Amino acid sequence: MSCIPHHMQCNTPTSFAALLFDMDGLMIDTESLSANAWRDAASILGVPLPQIHIDAMVGLAMPLCLNYLITALGDEAQARELENLSRQRYHHALHQQDIPLKPGITQLLNWCVQQQIPRAVGTATQRQLADIKLGRTGLARYFEHSIAGDEVARTKPAPDVYLQAAARLQVAPENCIVLEDSCYGAQAALAANMRVVVVPDLQQPSAEIAKQALAVCQDLFAATTLLQQLLNLPR
């Protein structure tokens, strides 16, 4: 199995009562669209934007991306112009281009349906865009509940979206497992007192996140195998 488990031998319960899913980079391949939008906008405006800055914004909501850019560029007007153009190009891509699913997500969600596992989406993305993404990819049919970044007081890496998702499912946080691709999302899950399975997309998790995660899996197929095993363990 292509997972590295980290807490499988401790006294923490390993089975679960609900699964919470990140969206961008975990279920759908939109992080690459976002990265391209940043690169295109920077090129058009003639703003230097090293890859390290693009990487640093993976998993962040747009308002937090803007805050990051203001600090990184040291020019608020330039940062706002870059954020605005990048957002326009990203929205255009979402409406005009195919939004590919991450390999293995359909199989994982079909298994969840078969096993009648309660599940919800917790995303830093704003509701309007989240609905577009879930709708255009066909993933909306798998979820009765989703929490968007503009529906909570604090977005990732704060725990609010996942705490709200667990509340909607009426499942205690400690009985939830979160699937995440980004460090910010994993931090949100851990802050919510939930276990997290990291399935990296554009970035590998930091050593600290990898240490705290229940497991790091190379893809969703491996994550599904892990979850199938955990479902049969006692709580």
Side-chain angles (χ1 to χ4, degrees):
M1 181 175 62
S2 305
C3 284
I4 302 174
H6 294 283
H7 294 325
M8 303 297 286
Q9 304 301 322
C10 70
N11 293 326
T12 302
T14 48
S15 189
F16 57 93
L19 291 175
L20 306 182
F21 290 78
D22 176 46
M23 185 177 63
D24 295 286
L26 187 281
M27 295 197 295
I28 53 181
D29 190 13
T30 45
E31 296 293 11
S32 58
L33 293 180
S34 177
N36 288 338
W38 285 117
R39 293 189 193 97
D40 291 347
S43 177
I44 291 170
L45 296 174
V47 176
L49 190 68
Q51 185 65 37
I52 189 173
H53 292 327
I54 296 175
D55 290 343
M57 293 186 288
V58 171
L60 279 183
M62 270 296 182
L64 296 183
C65 287
L66 177 59
N67 292 340
Y68 175 86
L69 285 173
I70 290 172
T71 301
L73 300 178
D75 185 327
E76 181 173 350
Q78 187 180 67
R80 289 186 181 278
E81 188 177 20
L82 177 60
E83 186 271 341
N84 183 60
L85 182 56
S86 174
R87 179 159 33 84
Q88 291 177 22
R89 296 188 70 82
Y90 182 60
H91 287 197
H92 182 268
L94 289 179
H95 285 89
Q96 301 298 325
Q97 299 179 21
D98 290 336
I99 306 176
L101 294 175
K102 297 292 287 187
I105 188 57
T106 301
Q107 292 88 336
L108 172 52
L109 290 172
N110 284 334
W111 173 74
C112 288
V113 171
Q114 293 167 1
Q115 299 297 319
Q116 298 183 323
I117 298 171
R119 56 202 176 276
V121 176
T123 177
T125 298
Q126 295 181 349
R127 168 55 60 193
Q128 181 181 13
L129 286 184
D131 286 345
I132 291 171
K133 294 173 183 180
L134 292 172
R136 289 200 65 215
T137 57
L139 292 177
R141 69 182 184 273
Y142 290 103
F143 299 97
E144 291 186 16
H145 302 288
S146 62
I147 308 298
D150 56 347
E151 296 173 334
V152 293
R154 302 171 301 165
T155 189
K156 300 175 186 179
D160 300 32
V161 290
Y162 286 129
L163 290 173
Q164 183 65 22
R168 290 277 185 91
L169 295 175
Q170 299 182 349
V171 176
E174 61 268 23
N175 291 328
C176 296
I177 288 180
V178 176
L179 286 97
E180 267 286 356
D181 70 291
S182 74
C183 284
Y184 291 119
Q187 288 170 2
L190 293 168
N193 193 32
M194 299 176 182
R195 290 155 292 156
V196 61
V197 173
V198 179
V199 186
D201 180 31
L202 298 182
Q203 298 176 313
Q204 291 298 312
S206 66
E208 184 62 24
I209 290 296
K211 181 180 179 181
Q212 295 180 74
L214 181 66
V216 177
C217 298
Q218 74 172 24
D219 56 35
L220 289 169
F221 296 107
T224 301
T225 299
L226 174 66
L227 293 169
Q228 289 170 339
Q229 294 173 354
L230 295 181
L231 188 64
N232 295 319
L233 293 178
R235 285 200 286 273

